[in-house]
């Protein structure tokens, strides 16, 4: 149900195969990384020959074959989860509360749990591979108890590796939310897959080593303080004994064992590296350019043609790939451009161009609309609405309900995880907790979390059921990558009436409300990032349109582009105006901090700058191509003035 | 096939080349004809830094800092080697095993880098020497004007001077903004972003700076917040940069780095394109149609990248590295010069590869199109030797004039650096005809040159001289080809050019001959 029938062919025929190929490659590459891990774990400078013999014997043993099969299963699972959770539009949390909401979403919790379990499995494999004192969970106690019986004792070293695997897996999945690891971005330049992979391999190794270091540090600290809990639990549930002669590991002397720490670090690195590789391969395979036919002679292939695919909403990656293909064909392929400019036979209508330009223009108009309404809603001091201004905001949100909604559109994306609160709070005994949120609910910038939160406050209210339904919808499998359009079109929140009813009798903000208010206002740049979250689509649309218009100067034999030139120019100029206004806002033009080593893609943070640059270049591309001929194009006086600036290179 | 013998003899002393008109180069007495357009930067007028930052550092460093602080500073400034040096130097304060150990590691590192350096000798050069070695500017370290860049669409240009400042001249405005930045040191190249009014990329010693100079602003000193800093570890010094003609991407190259960087300037992110062979990238040139990029390396090898999938062709040279290269306006032909040889080679490429054919269909071997070996002209002031190795090549945007900057010999007085200009035709067949020499004031040699990207009446060659003067030499001619769409605005009518019949006999190279 996540994909309309029309987009289904793509998921079945292309996406699944790409995902499967990426998983297959990561499984094929697993022996190499496993061998490296074995060598590193047996590392001994003084006895190289023995080390070599050890490694070979470990690699050829039956146990390692079994653990390898297990690891392959883990990789397949990781690949599957990546495929399920990836998104081409990053979910940007506008506030800390929203981020918390993302982390606590049941879907996310499931993801974390799966990673934790897989981490334990990898930890077990590591322990078995390392051998020595790590190999078994239990061993015969050296001393007999009072009755003279031999008991099985718990091997804490083994337990430590298992727990570490679980911890690293969990922290990997949680950090993934914060760093947007599941966001798949499209590269600046097209490269062959092998070269892409080769280039990103050192980064993956570096990231996994660094990340493993921090994870192990945190884990060791955690184990130092809380290590006795899992140990006691293990002993109790498996009826094992603690070896009194062995030194407990949750002590300073126990943990300050260099070889232990080294092995912990190596196995965490191995775990993260194999997962990062899977992720990288998935990104590389899924973002590979796909060439859609511009037109087809067979009617059954019509849904797979570019003009049709462009207008589709689902799955989002299909739209992105189609736009990417449009931008590539407009730059590099004269033969496919000629198909775009061609007329239909019979009839003589430029259907291809009309469909493509209409879709691109509607994308641009959509962004313009979003920016304009964002600008309108931002108060004069450049900050999001504060508590006091809530009431007057309400009227305008009612009057321009749809616009208002459009302005929050990107934030709708992250409603998905946020709606956990709906459940946890609504069901739990802390329902009063929601009341502090009510005061600024009517602010359009109330984070969706809060909107969702407050909705079920009064189960008797008519909105109760309504708000539930998108939630139900949201549980459909594909919702991380989903476009909000479907929600907007298909679900009740689309209508302005479903905006949560403001509570005029807003209670005095409590301490908790103040606390949350503070947490909410801490990410000023995020709302600007969220506005441009799907900026890549607009960048391609601008590129595609401007290159096609440029090519039409010499290649368009029937003048099909000329008819749309005024609307293309005016929508670009309108967008330019809106973008210029947006960048005058505080925080909008502040550059994000360079991220430290991380595999998380931070390109979404700079999308707005890229969009601004692309927009200017696109307008310049048209003005330099057409030059003085543009004076003959029908435009409003204001746009003409603006265009004159471009013609004189003064923008 | 010595091409220079067919050239008209160089001008006598005291005469400078003014322009080309009616198919001949006109000269004049330089004292009367100082063109109002020309700029002059006398060396004395520049406030030069007397000492570099690294030399002044020792004088100011507070040595009473703790070892820990000094180590941290050394790590920040000099990386691992700096840290090891610091530890080894302060052997009285650290345990003996630590200083000995770091000394050993340092020696090992040095040994490895010297081994690496013996494979690629250029790695042992200092940053400044390296820029001077690989720059397109003749004798770069001694130049007053270190880089020059015309704006691709308007009549403004940027000049980088020896005092690490950049000035922007615009005939339509009275202000000349001066750009200064802390990181703007040893500017090796500059280029304006195409399809943009304001962005100027500057290749500096440690990074690439992208200035955004608002053309409407009246400020004479744009703040350094107008500049974006693009840097990548290990990618310094940057000796060459190239914007894609569509203005979307910026390439940068460093002889120290085997990968060339493709920058998304707005996002300040880069994609390294690594090919190990050659040991670095020294010079980049993007073809005007955007389909290919020439990337030369410090070894006898250059690459031609295809820009759709970013695959490359390797072109090993026989003698030396590729010193310079230029593309024909349609991007189908590449002319290049090799260090140690006195000839110009040409490579012909098939048109822009279609999206369906991803492979690059290239030529099999390069053809020699011009031989610029030494030729002696007997003038009234004595014999003058012209010819030799080539410093840089420039082809005008219409593909009708090719300027070649010849190195000359700084020791010999009768063998100066000189610019030889060829007339070229690219369609229907490639032809090369002699045009003449461009000379300046006596005792002044050309250092760099660039053609104006959209001169209406033919071609305009801007030459920067060793005296700090910048002059413009127009070549007036009617174009025989349709002007490039996108460069000259609207297409004008075809102007059939009547070529004098005697040129056919003088032709240096045509494709029919080869």
């Amino acid at each position: 149900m996540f994909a309309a029938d029309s987009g289904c062919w793509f998921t079945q025929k292309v996406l699944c195969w790409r995902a499967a190929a990426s998983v297959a490659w990561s499984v094929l590459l697993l022996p190499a990384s496993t061998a490296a891990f074995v060598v590193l774990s047996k590392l001994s400078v003084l006895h190289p020959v023995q080390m070599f013999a050890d490694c070979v014997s470990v690699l050829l043993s039956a146990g390692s074959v079994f653990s390898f099969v297990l690891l392959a299963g883990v990789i397949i699972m990781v690949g599957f989860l990546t495929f399920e959770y990836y998104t081409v539009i990053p979910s940007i949390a506008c506030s800390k509360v929203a981020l918390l909401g993302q982390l606590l979403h049941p879907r996310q919790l499931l993801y974390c749990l799966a990673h934790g379990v897989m981490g334990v499995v990898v930890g077990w494999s590591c322990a078995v591979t390392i051998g020595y004192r790590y190999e078994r969970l239990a061993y015969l106690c050296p001393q007999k108890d009072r009755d003279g019986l031999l008991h099985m004792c718990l091997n804490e070293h083994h337990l430590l590796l298992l727990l570490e695997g679980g911890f690293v897996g969990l922290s990997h999945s949680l950090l993934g939310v914060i760093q947007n690891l599941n966001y798949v971005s499209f590269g600046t330049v097209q490269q062959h897959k092998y070269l892409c992979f080769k280039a990103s391999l050192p980064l993956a190794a570096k990231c996994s080593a660094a990340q493993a270091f921090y994870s192990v540090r945190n884990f060791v600290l955690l184990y130092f303080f809380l290590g006795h809990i899992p140990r006691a639990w293990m002993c109790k549930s498996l009826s094992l004994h603690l070896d009194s002669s062995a030194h407990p590991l949750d002590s300073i002397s126990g943990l300050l064992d260099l070889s232990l720490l080294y092995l912990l670090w190596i196995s965490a690195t191995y775990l993260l590296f194999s997962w990062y590789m899977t992720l990288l391969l998935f990104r590389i395979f899924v973002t590979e350019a796909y060439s859609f036919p511009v037109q087809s002679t067979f009617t059954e292939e019509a849904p797979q043609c570019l003009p049709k695919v462009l207008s589709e909403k689902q799955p989002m990656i299909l739209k992105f790939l189609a736009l990417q293909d449009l931008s590539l064909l407009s730059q590099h392929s004269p033969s496919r451009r000629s198909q775009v400019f061609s007329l239909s036979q019979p009839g003589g209508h430029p259907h291809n161009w009309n469909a493509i330009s209409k879709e691109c223009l509607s994308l641009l108009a959509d962004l313009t609309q979003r920016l304009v309404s964002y600008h309108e809603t931002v108060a004069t001091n450049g900050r999001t609405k504060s508590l006091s201004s809530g009431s007057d905001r309400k009227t305008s949100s009612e009057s321009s309900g749809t616009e208002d909604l459009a302005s929050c559109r990107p934030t709708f994306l992250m409603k998905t995880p946020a709606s956990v609160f709906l459940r946890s709070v609504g069901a739990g005994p802390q329902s009063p907790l929601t009341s502090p949120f009510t005061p600024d609910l009517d602010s359009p910038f109330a984070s969706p979390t809060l909107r969702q939160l407050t909705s079920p406050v009064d189960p008797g209210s008519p909105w109760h059921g309504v708000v539930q339904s998108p939630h139900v919808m949201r549980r459909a499998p594909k919702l991380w990558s989903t476009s909000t359009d479907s929600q907007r079109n298909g679900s009740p929140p689309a209508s302005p009436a479903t905006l949560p009813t403001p509570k005029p009798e807003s209670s005095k903000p409590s301490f908790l409300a103040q606390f949350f208010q503070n947490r909410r206002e801490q990410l000023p740049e995020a709302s600007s990032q969220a506005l441009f979250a799907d900026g890549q689509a607009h960048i391609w649309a601008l590129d595609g349109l401007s290159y096609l218009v440029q090519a039409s100067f010499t290649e368009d034999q029937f003048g099909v582009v000329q008819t749309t030139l005024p609307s293309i120019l005016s929508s670009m100029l309108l967008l330019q105006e809106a973008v210029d206004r947006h960048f005058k806002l505080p925080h909008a033009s502040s550059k994000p901090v360079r991220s430290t080593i991380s595999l998380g893609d931070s390109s979404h943070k700079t999308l707005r700058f890229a969009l601004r640059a692309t927009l200017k270049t696109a307008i310049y591309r048209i003005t330099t191509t057409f030059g003085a001929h543009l004076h003959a194009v029908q435009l409003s006086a204001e746009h003409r003035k603006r265009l004159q600036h471009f013609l004189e290179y003064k923008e | 096939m010595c091409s220079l013998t067919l050239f008209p003899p160089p001008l006598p002393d005291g005469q400078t080349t003014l322009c080309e008109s009616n198919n001949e180069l006109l000269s004049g007495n330089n004292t009367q004809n100082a063109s109002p357009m020309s700029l002059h930067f006398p060396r004395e007028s520049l406030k030069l830094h007397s000492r570099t930052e690294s030399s002044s550092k020792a004088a100011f460093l507070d040595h009473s800092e703790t070892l820990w602080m000094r180590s941290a500073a050394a790590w920040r400034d000099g990386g691992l080697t700096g840290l090891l040096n610091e530890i080894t130097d302060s052997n009285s304060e650290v345990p003996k095993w630590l200083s000995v150990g770091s000394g050993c590691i340092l020696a090992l590192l040095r040994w490895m880098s010297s081994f690496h350096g013996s494979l690629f000798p250029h790695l042992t050069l200092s940053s400044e020497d390296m820029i001077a070695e690989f720059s397109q500017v003749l004798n770069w370290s001694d130049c007053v004007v270190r880089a020059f860049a015309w704006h691709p669409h308007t009549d403004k240009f940027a000049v980088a001077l020896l005092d690490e400042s950049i000035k922007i001249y615009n005939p339509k405005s009275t202000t000349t903004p001066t750009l200064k930045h802390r990181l703007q040191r040893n500017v090796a190249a500059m280029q304006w972003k195409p399809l943009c009014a304001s962005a100027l990329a500057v290749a500096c010693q440690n990074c690439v700076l992208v200035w955004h100079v608002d053309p409407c602003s009246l400020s004479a000193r744009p703040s350094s917040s107008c500049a974006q800093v693009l840097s990548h570890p290990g990618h310094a010094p940057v000796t060459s940069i190239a914007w894609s003609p569509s203005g979307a991407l910026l390439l940068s190259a460093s002889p120290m780095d085997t990968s060339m960087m493709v920058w998304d300037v707005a996002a300040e992110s880069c994609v390294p394109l690594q090919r190990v062979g050659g040991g670095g990238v020294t010079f980049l040139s993007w073809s005007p149609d955007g389909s290919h990029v020439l990337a030369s390396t410090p070894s006898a090898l250059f690459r031609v990248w295809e820009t759709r999938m970013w695959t490359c062709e390797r072109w090993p040279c026989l003698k030396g590295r590729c010193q310079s290269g230029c593309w024909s306006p349609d991007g189908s032909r590449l002319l290049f010069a090799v260090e140690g040889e006195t000839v110009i080679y040409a490579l012909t490429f098939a048109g822009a590869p279609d999206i369906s054919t991803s492979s690059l269909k290239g030529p099999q071997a390069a053809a020699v199109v011009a031989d610029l070996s030494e030729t002696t002209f007997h003038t009234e002031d004595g014999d003058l030797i012209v010819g030799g190795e080539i410093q840089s090549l420039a082809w005008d945007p219409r593909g009708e004039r090719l300027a070649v900057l010849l190195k000359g010999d700084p020791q010999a007085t009768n063998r100066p650096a000189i610019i030889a200009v060829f007339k070229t035709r690219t369609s229907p067949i490639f032809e090369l005809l002699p045009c003449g020499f461009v000379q300046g004031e006596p005792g002044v040699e050309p250092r760099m040159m660039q053609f104006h990207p959209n001169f209406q009446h033919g071609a305009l060659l801007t030459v920067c001289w060793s005296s700090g003067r910048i002059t413009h030499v127009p070549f007036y001619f009617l174009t025989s080809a349709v002007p490039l769409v996108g460069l000259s605005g609207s297409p004008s009518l075809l102007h059939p050019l009547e070529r004098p019949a005697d040129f056919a006999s003088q032709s240096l190279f045509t494709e029919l001959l080869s």
Side-chain angles (χ1 to χ4, degrees), chain A residues 190 333 335 547 594 621 649, chain B residues 153 197 246 268 308-309 354:
Chain A
Q190 297 289 309
S333 178
S335 60
Y547 277 112
R594 295 267 104 196
R621 190 169 291 135
Y649 293 96
Chain B
H153 308 288
S246 64
E268 293 183 15
R308 215 181 62 75
M309 290 304 285
D354 202 326

Side-chain angles (χ1 to χ4, degrees), chain A residues 36-48:
Chain A
F37 167 69
V38 168
V39 170
L40 285 176
S41 67
K42 307 259 172 201
L43 200 62
S44 76
V45 190
L46 300 177
H47 308 285

Side-chain angles (χ1 to χ4, degrees), chain B residues 383-385 409-417:
Chain B
D383 286 359
L384 194 69
I385 305 172
D409 186 355
Q411 265 80 48
T413 47
N414 63 342
R415 216 186 130 191

